[in-house]
Amino acid sequence: MTKVLISGASVAGTTLAYWLGQHGYSVTVVERHPGLRPGGQAIDVRGPALTVLDRMGLLQAAADRKTGIRGSSVVDCDGNELSRDTESTPTGGPIDNPDIELLRDDLVELLYQATQPATEYLFDDNITAMDNRGTGVDVTFEREPARSFDLVIGADGLHSNVCRLVFEPEERFIKRLGTHAAIFTVPNFLDLDFWQMWHYGDTTMAGIYSARNNAEARAMLGFMDTELRLTTAMSRPSSPRTSSGCPTTAGSARNC
């Protein structure tokens, strides 16, 4: 049986693990997070992706986990509503459509469950070295003893560890767009009722929308800067600030 190692247990990795398993491959997935990684942006499943979910038997389960967002508002610096839209949202597009918008971690949980029990998962681990022998790949892990696989697939995101090991530093290939964003989970401190709220500056953006039946919220901060260079190894400042130097406060967004 062909042995395949997939690096990354998010949407791509778990989906690939399912289909490879369906076609008789022996699949192992390595994920550096201690478990399935929580959080992230809502994902729109549309077009061919709906067909894939249906063929996996997950279409109804995904539909049951829809965000249920009713609309969105745009506000000024002081929170005054400038406009509202009950026909579409910035994250999901038109509300009345066959697409399924659900949280990333909800989708990953469904995909992960679909791969059980056939797929082996190595959580809290990482690939540190690979030796391509032509007929197979010898893989060294951070924690797990070294093993050999017939095929190694990188499904570990933008800053892929597998791509770095195989193709050298990403700076040789990455094309920067000058746009930066952060998405994170926060309490639903604005008591949003299946609703989104957004504020836009000239080169900045702040948004928040309710999640998990209004029990929590997902917040998003973004800005444009073509000169800024961020790396995954950069340390966080002790006092979070916007790019203009204005302190940020929970529950407010200002175009400083």
Side-chain angles (χ1 to χ4, degrees):
M1 182 181 292
T2 303
K3 297 187 296 182
V4 179
L5 174 65
I6 300 172
S7 177
S10 189
V11 176
T14 51
T15 303
L16 181 59
Y18 172 85
W19 287 110
L20 288 176
Q22 291 292 301
H23 287 82
Y25 291 83
S26 174
V27 183
T28 298
V29 179
V30 59
E31 167 60 50
R32 64 182 178 180
H33 198 72
L36 296 177
R37 188 182 296 273
Q41 170 68 310
I43 290 178
D44 298 307
V45 182
R46 55 171 61 119
L50 291 170
T51 302
V52 173
L53 272 187
D54 192 24
R55 291 177 178 176
M56 296 175 72
L58 299 176
L59 188 61
Q60 186 56 54
D64 291 341
R65 290 165 174 75
K66 290 179 67 172
T67 60
I69 294 295
R70 300 182 295 109
S72 63
S73 298
V74 176
V75 300
D76 64 14
C77 282
D78 297 311
N80 300 308
E81 186 173 270
L82 301 176
S83 65
R84 64 169 38 217
D85 188 347
T86 57
E87 297 183 356
S88 65
T89 67
T91 62
I95 293 175
D96 185 16
N97 64 59
D99 302 342
I100 297 175
E101 183 186 49
L102 72 167
L103 296 179
R104 187 205 67 85
D105 37 2
D106 285 350
L107 177 59
V108 170
E109 177 65 29
L110 289 177
L111 296 169
Y112 168 77
Q113 291 174 357
T115 66
Q116 295 298 296
T119 301
E120 175 190 21
Y121 283 84
L122 306 177
F123 288 111
D124 198 21
D125 210 340
N126 196 25
I127 299 173
T128 58
M130 293 185 292
D131 181 18
N132 186 354
R133 296 181 285 99
T135 58
V137 183
D138 295 331
V139 179
T140 303
F141 296 97
E142 184 176 335
R143 301 178 184 273
E144 186 78 9
R147 294 161 63 175
S148 295
F149 297 89
D150 298 294
L151 183 66
V152 177
I153 301 174
D156 40 3
L158 175 63
H159 304 290
S160 169
N161 182 49
V162 170
C163 289
R164 178 182 60 81
L165 292 172
V166 175
F167 300 112
E168 300 179 354
E170 65 180 21
E171 285 297 333
R172 292 184 54 196
F173 312 100
I174 196 169
K175 179 181 179 180
R176 298 185 182 275
L177 301 178
T179 301
H180 308 269
I183 304 162
F184 46 96
T185 302
V186 296
N188 187 7
F189 56 88
L190 296 178
D191 294 324
L192 298 174
D193 183 18
F194 295 97
W195 198 260
Q196 299 181 352
M197 187 176 294
W198 301 89
H199 171 72
Y200 301 103
D202 293 336
T203 60
T204 59
M205 173 273 295
I208 185 171
Y209 55 90
S210 60
R212 302 201 186 285
N213 294 319
N214 300 330
E216 64 183 40
R218 298 289 163 94
M220 181 185 304
L221 299 173
F223 62 94
M224 298 178 64
D225 189 328
T226 58
E227 301 300 323
L228 182 63
R229 295 292 183 265
L230 297 177
T231 69
T232 55
M234 288 183 68
S235 60
R236 297 178 181 178
S238 57
S239 177
R241 290 180 173 271
T242 64
S243 58
S244 62
C246 300
T248 59
T249 58
S252 67
R254 289 188 172 272
N255 180 21
C256 298

